Amino acid sequence: MSYYDQVKEAADAIRARVSDVPRIAIVLGSGLGDFAGSLADRVSMPYGELPYWPASRVIGHDGRLVVGGVRGRTIAALAGRSHAYEGHDLRTVTFAVRVLGLLGVKTLILTNAAGGVNTAFAAGALMVIDDHINLMGGNPLVGANDDRFGPRFPDLTDLYSPRLRRIADEAGGEHGMTLPHGVYAAVLGPSYETPAEIRYLRTIGADAVGMSTVPEAIVARHMGMDVLGISCITNTAAGVLPHAVDHGEVLETARRVRGEFLALLEGIIGRL
Ligand code: HPA
């Protein structure tokens, strides 16, 4: 069966289980998964119940797609994503976004945990992604292009929608937050970076570094979706401060700013 047909079968399976098809979707990064459990009138679909859906097994990520209401809008929330560092190829990593696209999602909000490369960022900051640098060593569009998804050579100018970035600022302002903006560099992982790599990333214009989001953003753009990306700066990147980078700290910071992050997301969704 073709990849397109697998994506379509998964989208059809979701459509059959919901009364209202979402036009907005959000991928929840580390520590944010339980946002999905706060949706009104929700339908929860564990990934294992959806055809061809890849499993993710990282601590801090559960695995389900939840469709439900936020501020009067029906959204799809993905708690748990696949990462390339788990050994998945980038088509598998972006399967979920393909499904959302065929389902009819027009606006995709991608959230993640990231290391702060910009030395002005403190742990706990929420950064609006203005642009990205793909250093993963791969691109999810490699291989024969299926024109049913999108064009062979998609343009990535303004991949992160200027309109949605403005909306994020407005929603932040409502809660007294001034959100920093910056460039997200995506690396493969799973090891954290060396201090020399972080100096290199700073030199080439990155403000934050993480191991997700970029393949999903590319695929979403390929399908014509509007994309917003928000990084929770969970730690200063390697070498910025004289201590090690640790997954426990990443999760702890994500938990600490969770309330603020969720308020921001709700404010954004309310403005869409
Ligand atoms: N580097 C890469 N990915 C990350 C980091 C980091 O410091 N923190 C959270 N995700």
Side-chain angles (χ1 to χ4, degrees), residues 138-182:
N139 186 301
L141 306 184
V142 166
N145 187 62
D146 193 323
D147 297 336
R148 290 171 291 184
F149 285 134
R152 171 76 291 187
F153 300 109
D155 170 47
L156 300 187
T157 312
D158 286 336
L159 165 53
Y160 300 89
S161 157
R163 180 180 67 87
L164 295 176
R165 286 187 263 148
R166 242 185 335 267
I167 287 174
D169 287 334
E170 287 166 15
E174 179 189 354
H175 296 282
M177 303 177 218
T178 303
L179 305 175
H181 285 230

Short mmCIF file of all heavy atoms in Angstrom, two decimals, residues 138-182:
data_model
loop_
_atom_site.label_atom_id
_atom_site.label_comp_id
_atom_site.label_asym_id
_atom_site.label_seq_id
_atom_site.Cartn_x
_atom_site.Cartn_y
_atom_site.Cartn_z
N GLY A 138 18.70 15.39 6.92
CA GLY A 138 17.71 14.81 6.03
C GLY A 138 16.55 15.76 5.85
O GLY A 138 16.44 16.75 6.57
N ASN A 139 15.71 15.42 4.88
CA ASN A 139 14.52 16.24 4.61
C ASN A 139 13.37 15.27 4.37
O ASN A 139 13.52 14.29 3.63
CB ASN A 139 14.79 17.12 3.37
CG ASN A 139 13.67 18.11 3.09
OD1 ASN A 139 12.53 17.72 2.88
ND2 ASN A 139 14.00 19.39 3.08
N PRO A 140 12.22 15.51 4.99
CA PRO A 140 11.11 14.56 4.86
C PRO A 140 10.55 14.47 3.44
O PRO A 140 9.79 13.54 3.15
CB PRO A 140 10.06 15.12 5.83
CG PRO A 140 10.38 16.57 5.94
CD PRO A 140 11.87 16.66 5.84
N LEU A 141 10.93 15.39 2.56
CA LEU A 141 10.38 15.38 1.19
C LEU A 141 11.28 14.62 0.22
O LEU A 141 10.97 14.54 -0.97
CB LEU A 141 10.17 16.81 0.69
CG LEU A 141 9.31 17.71 1.61
CD1 LEU A 141 9.09 19.08 0.95
CD2 LEU A 141 7.98 17.07 1.94
N VAL A 142 12.38 14.06 0.73
CA VAL A 142 13.27 13.28 -0.14
C VAL A 142 12.54 12.05 -0.67
O VAL A 142 11.78 11.41 0.07
CB VAL A 142 14.54 12.86 0.64
CG1 VAL A 142 15.31 11.78 -0.11
CG2 VAL A 142 15.44 14.07 0.90
N GLY A 143 12.76 11.75 -1.92
CA GLY A 143 12.10 10.61 -2.55
C GLY A 143 11.12 11.13 -3.58
O GLY A 143 10.96 12.34 -3.76
N ALA A 144 10.45 10.20 -4.26
CA ALA A 144 9.48 10.60 -5.29
C ALA A 144 8.45 11.53 -4.66
O ALA A 144 7.98 11.28 -3.55
CB ALA A 144 8.81 9.36 -5.86
N ASN A 145 8.13 12.62 -5.36
CA ASN A 145 7.13 13.52 -4.81
C ASN A 145 5.73 13.02 -5.17
O ASN A 145 5.47 12.68 -6.32
CB ASN A 145 7.32 14.94 -5.37
CG ASN A 145 6.40 15.94 -4.68
OD1 ASN A 145 6.51 16.14 -3.47
ND2 ASN A 145 5.48 16.52 -5.42
N ASP A 146 4.85 12.99 -4.18
CA ASP A 146 3.46 12.67 -4.46
C ASP A 146 2.71 14.00 -4.59
O ASP A 146 2.50 14.69 -3.59
CB ASP A 146 2.87 11.81 -3.33
CG ASP A 146 1.53 11.20 -3.72
OD1 ASP A 146 0.76 11.89 -4.42
OD2 ASP A 146 1.27 10.05 -3.33
N ASP A 147 2.33 14.33 -5.82
CA ASP A 147 1.70 15.64 -6.08
C ASP A 147 0.37 15.81 -5.34
O ASP A 147 -0.11 16.93 -5.22
CB ASP A 147 1.47 15.85 -7.58
CG ASP A 147 2.79 15.87 -8.36
OD1 ASP A 147 3.83 16.18 -7.75
OD2 ASP A 147 2.77 15.55 -9.57
N ARG A 148 -0.20 14.70 -4.87
CA ARG A 148 -1.45 14.83 -4.10
C ARG A 148 -1.18 15.51 -2.76
O ARG A 148 -2.06 16.11 -2.17
CB ARG A 148 -2.08 13.45 -3.86
CG ARG A 148 -2.64 12.84 -5.14
CD ARG A 148 -3.07 11.40 -4.95
NE ARG A 148 -1.93 10.51 -4.73
CZ ARG A 148 -2.02 9.18 -4.61
NH1 ARG A 148 -3.21 8.59 -4.67
NH2 ARG A 148 -0.94 8.44 -4.43
N PHE A 149 0.06 15.42 -2.27
CA PHE A 149 0.42 16.11 -1.02
C PHE A 149 0.82 17.56 -1.27
O PHE A 149 0.48 18.45 -0.51
CB PHE A 149 1.60 15.40 -0.34
CG PHE A 149 1.25 14.12 0.35
CD1 PHE A 149 2.04 12.98 0.17
CD2 PHE A 149 0.17 14.03 1.23
CE1 PHE A 149 1.75 11.79 0.83
CE2 PHE A 149 -0.13 12.85 1.89
CZ PHE A 149 0.66 11.72 1.69
N GLY A 150 1.61 17.79 -2.33
CA GLY A 150 2.12 19.13 -2.55
C GLY A 150 3.18 19.12 -3.65
O GLY A 150 3.46 18.08 -4.25
N PRO A 151 3.79 20.29 -3.91
CA PRO A 151 4.72 20.42 -5.03
C PRO A 151 6.11 19.83 -4.74
O PRO A 151 6.50 19.67 -3.58
CB PRO A 151 4.83 21.94 -5.21
CG PRO A 151 4.56 22.49 -3.85
CD PRO A 151 3.57 21.57 -3.20
N ARG A 152 6.83 19.53 -5.80
CA ARG A 152 8.20 19.00 -5.68
C ARG A 152 9.13 19.92 -4.90
O ARG A 152 9.91 19.49 -4.07
CB ARG A 152 8.76 18.73 -7.09
CG ARG A 152 10.22 18.37 -7.19
CD ARG A 152 10.58 16.94 -6.77
NE ARG A 152 10.45 16.62 -5.38
CZ ARG A 152 10.85 15.46 -4.82
NH1 ARG A 152 11.38 14.51 -5.55
NH2 ARG A 152 10.69 15.23 -3.54
N PHE A 153 9.07 21.23 -5.22
CA PHE A 153 10.02 22.19 -4.65
C PHE A 153 9.29 23.28 -3.87
O PHE A 153 9.19 24.41 -4.34
CB PHE A 153 10.87 22.83 -5.76
CG PHE A 153 11.68 21.86 -6.56
CD1 PHE A 153 11.35 21.57 -7.88
CD2 PHE A 153 12.79 21.21 -6.01
CE1 PHE A 153 12.11 20.67 -8.64
CE2 PHE A 153 13.55 20.31 -6.75
CZ PHE A 153 13.21 20.03 -8.07
N PRO A 154 8.77 22.96 -2.71
CA PRO A 154 8.00 23.99 -1.98
C PRO A 154 8.88 25.13 -1.47
O PRO A 154 10.02 24.90 -1.05
CB PRO A 154 7.37 23.21 -0.83
CG PRO A 154 8.23 22.02 -0.65
CD PRO A 154 8.81 21.68 -1.99
N ASP A 155 8.33 26.32 -1.52
CA ASP A 155 9.00 27.51 -1.00
C ASP A 155 8.87 27.53 0.52
O ASP A 155 7.80 27.24 1.06
CB ASP A 155 8.30 28.73 -1.61
CG ASP A 155 8.76 30.03 -0.96
OD1 ASP A 155 9.98 30.21 -0.81
OD2 ASP A 155 7.89 30.84 -0.60
N LEU A 156 9.95 27.87 1.23
CA LEU A 156 9.88 27.94 2.69
C LEU A 156 10.05 29.37 3.21
O LEU A 156 10.30 29.58 4.39
CB LEU A 156 10.92 27.02 3.34
CG LEU A 156 10.82 25.53 3.04
CD1 LEU A 156 11.82 24.73 3.89
CD2 LEU A 156 9.41 24.98 3.24
N THR A 157 9.92 30.36 2.33
CA THR A 157 9.92 31.75 2.80
C THR A 157 8.67 31.93 3.65
O THR A 157 7.59 31.50 3.27
CB THR A 157 9.84 32.72 1.60
OG1 THR A 157 10.81 32.34 0.63
CG2 THR A 157 10.09 34.16 2.04
N ASP A 158 8.82 32.53 4.80
CA ASP A 158 7.66 32.69 5.69
C ASP A 158 6.99 31.37 6.02
O ASP A 158 5.76 31.28 6.13
CB ASP A 158 6.63 33.67 5.09
CG ASP A 158 7.11 35.12 5.19
OD1 ASP A 158 7.96 35.41 6.06
OD2 ASP A 158 6.65 35.93 4.38
N LEU A 159 7.79 30.31 6.13
CA LEU A 159 7.25 29.02 6.58
C LEU A 159 6.48 29.20 7.88
O LEU A 159 5.39 28.66 8.07
CB LEU A 159 8.40 28.02 6.75
CG LEU A 159 8.14 26.74 7.51
CD1 LEU A 159 6.94 25.98 6.97
CD2 LEU A 159 9.36 25.83 7.46
N TYR A 160 7.06 29.96 8.80
CA TYR A 160 6.38 30.24 10.08
C TYR A 160 5.56 31.51 9.85
O TYR A 160 6.12 32.60 9.73
CB TYR A 160 7.40 30.36 11.22
CG TYR A 160 8.16 29.05 11.36
CD1 TYR A 160 9.34 28.82 10.64
CD2 TYR A 160 7.65 28.01 12.13
CE1 TYR A 160 10.00 27.60 10.71
CE2 TYR A 160 8.31 26.79 12.21
CZ TYR A 160 9.48 26.60 11.49
OH TYR A 160 10.14 25.38 11.57
N SER A 161 4.28 31.36 9.77
CA SER A 161 3.35 32.40 9.32
C SER A 161 3.51 33.72 10.08
O SER A 161 3.35 33.75 11.31
CB SER A 161 1.93 31.87 9.49
OG SER A 161 1.01 32.93 9.58
N PRO A 162 3.82 34.81 9.37
CA PRO A 162 3.90 36.12 10.04
C PRO A 162 2.61 36.47 10.78
O PRO A 162 2.65 37.03 11.87
CB PRO A 162 4.18 37.08 8.89
CG PRO A 162 4.84 36.25 7.83
CD PRO A 162 4.18 34.89 7.95
N ARG A 163 1.49 36.10 10.19
CA ARG A 163 0.20 36.40 10.84
C ARG A 163 0.08 35.64 12.17
O ARG A 163 -0.30 36.20 13.20
CB ARG A 163 -0.95 35.99 9.90
CG ARG A 163 -2.35 36.25 10.44
CD ARG A 163 -3.42 35.81 9.44
NE ARG A 163 -3.44 34.36 9.25
CZ ARG A 163 -4.14 33.52 10.02
NH1 ARG A 163 -4.89 33.97 11.00
NH2 ARG A 163 -4.09 32.21 9.79
N LEU A 164 0.45 34.37 12.15
CA LEU A 164 0.34 33.58 13.38
C LEU A 164 1.36 34.03 14.43
O LEU A 164 1.09 33.99 15.62
CB LEU A 164 0.50 32.09 13.07
CG LEU A 164 -0.60 31.49 12.19
CD1 LEU A 164 -0.28 30.03 11.87
CD2 LEU A 164 -1.96 31.59 12.88
N ARG A 165 2.52 34.50 13.97
CA ARG A 165 3.52 34.99 14.93
C ARG A 165 2.99 36.24 15.63
O ARG A 165 3.20 36.43 16.82
CB ARG A 165 4.83 35.29 14.20
CG ARG A 165 5.60 34.04 13.80
CD ARG A 165 6.95 34.40 13.24
NE ARG A 165 6.96 34.45 11.80
CZ ARG A 165 7.72 35.27 11.07
NH1 ARG A 165 8.51 36.14 11.65
NH2 ARG A 165 7.69 35.22 9.76
N ARG A 166 2.29 37.08 14.86
CA ARG A 166 1.69 38.28 15.46
C ARG A 166 0.61 37.89 16.46
O ARG A 166 0.51 38.46 17.56
CB ARG A 166 1.07 39.15 14.35
CG ARG A 166 1.71 40.51 14.23
CD ARG A 166 1.06 41.44 13.23
NE ARG A 166 0.32 40.84 12.13
CZ ARG A 166 0.83 40.56 10.92
NH1 ARG A 166 2.09 40.83 10.65
NH2 ARG A 166 0.08 40.04 9.98
N ILE A 167 -0.18 36.91 16.09
CA ILE A 167 -1.24 36.44 16.99
C ILE A 167 -0.63 35.91 18.29
O ILE A 167 -1.14 36.15 19.38
CB ILE A 167 -2.11 35.37 16.28
CG1 ILE A 167 -3.00 36.07 15.24
CG2 ILE A 167 -2.94 34.58 17.27
CD1 ILE A 167 -3.81 35.12 14.37
N ALA A 168 0.50 35.21 18.17
CA ALA A 168 1.17 34.70 19.38
C ALA A 168 1.61 35.85 20.27
O ALA A 168 1.45 35.80 21.50
CB ALA A 168 2.37 33.83 18.99
N ASP A 169 2.13 36.91 19.67
CA ASP A 169 2.55 38.08 20.45
C ASP A 169 1.36 38.70 21.17
O ASP A 169 1.45 39.07 22.35
CB ASP A 169 3.20 39.13 19.54
CG ASP A 169 4.58 38.71 19.08
OD1 ASP A 169 5.23 37.92 19.79
OD2 ASP A 169 5.00 39.16 17.99
N GLU A 170 0.25 38.80 20.44
CA GLU A 170 -0.95 39.40 21.05
C GLU A 170 -1.46 38.53 22.21
O GLU A 170 -1.81 39.05 23.26
CB GLU A 170 -2.07 39.52 20.00
CG GLU A 170 -1.82 40.62 18.97
CD GLU A 170 -2.75 40.50 17.76
OE1 GLU A 170 -3.76 39.75 17.82
OE2 GLU A 170 -2.43 41.15 16.74
N ALA A 171 -1.47 37.23 21.99
CA ALA A 171 -1.94 36.33 23.04
C ALA A 171 -1.00 36.38 24.25
O ALA A 171 -1.45 36.34 25.40
CB ALA A 171 -2.04 34.90 22.51
N GLY A 172 0.30 36.51 24.00
CA GLY A 172 1.26 36.66 25.09
C GLY A 172 1.01 37.95 25.86
O GLY A 172 1.00 37.96 27.09
N GLY A 173 0.78 39.03 25.10
CA GLY A 173 0.54 40.33 25.71
C GLY A 173 -0.65 40.32 26.64
O GLY A 173 -0.64 40.95 27.71
N GLU A 174 -1.65 39.53 26.27
CA GLU A 174 -2.86 39.41 27.10
C GLU A 174 -2.50 38.87 28.50
O GLU A 174 -3.17 39.14 29.48
CB GLU A 174 -3.80 38.44 26.36
CG GLU A 174 -5.11 38.13 27.01
CD GLU A 174 -5.83 36.99 26.26
OE1 GLU A 174 -5.36 36.55 25.19
OE2 GLU A 174 -6.86 36.55 26.76
N HIS A 175 -1.42 38.08 28.57
CA HIS A 175 -1.00 37.49 29.85
C HIS A 175 0.25 38.19 30.40
O HIS A 175 0.94 37.63 31.25
CB HIS A 175 -0.72 35.99 29.67
CG HIS A 175 -1.95 35.21 29.31
ND1 HIS A 175 -2.90 34.85 30.22
CD2 HIS A 175 -2.39 34.77 28.11
CE1 HIS A 175 -3.89 34.21 29.61
NE2 HIS A 175 -3.59 34.14 28.32
N GLY A 176 0.54 39.37 29.88
CA GLY A 176 1.69 40.12 30.38
C GLY A 176 3.04 39.52 29.98
O GLY A 176 4.05 39.79 30.60
N MET A 177 3.04 38.68 28.94
CA MET A 177 4.31 38.07 28.51
C MET A 177 4.81 38.77 27.25
O MET A 177 4.04 38.97 26.32
CB MET A 177 4.12 36.59 28.10
CG MET A 177 3.53 35.67 29.11
SD MET A 177 3.37 34.04 28.27
CE MET A 177 1.85 33.48 28.93
N THR A 178 6.09 39.09 27.24
CA THR A 178 6.72 39.55 26.00
C THR A 178 7.53 38.37 25.48
O THR A 178 8.50 37.94 26.12
CB THR A 178 7.64 40.75 26.26
OG1 THR A 178 6.84 41.77 26.88
CG2 THR A 178 8.22 41.28 24.97
N LEU A 179 7.12 37.83 24.36
CA LEU A 179 7.75 36.60 23.88
C LEU A 179 8.96 36.93 23.03
O LEU A 179 8.86 37.71 22.08
CB LEU A 179 6.75 35.79 23.04
CG LEU A 179 5.42 35.45 23.72
CD1 LEU A 179 4.50 34.75 22.72
CD2 LEU A 179 5.64 34.57 24.94
N PRO A 180 10.11 36.32 23.34
CA PRO A 180 11.24 36.47 22.42
C PRO A 180 10.95 35.70 21.12
O PRO A 180 10.16 34.76 21.12
CB PRO A 180 12.41 35.84 23.18
CG PRO A 180 11.79 34.87 24.13
CD PRO A 180 10.42 35.43 24.47
N HIS A 181 11.55 36.17 20.05
CA HIS A 181 11.45 35.47 18.76
C HIS A 181 12.84 34.96 18.40
O HIS A 181 13.84 35.53 18.84
CB HIS A 181 10.97 36.42 17.66
CG HIS A 181 9.51 36.73 17.73
ND1 HIS A 181 8.68 36.63 16.65
CD2 HIS A 181 8.74 37.14 18.77
CE1 HIS A 181 7.45 36.97 17.01
NE2 HIS A 181 7.46 37.30 18.28
N GLY A 182 12.92 33.93 17.58
CA GLY A 182 14.24 33.49 17.18
C GLY A 182 14.22 32.37 16.17
O GLY A 182 13.17 31.92 15.72
#
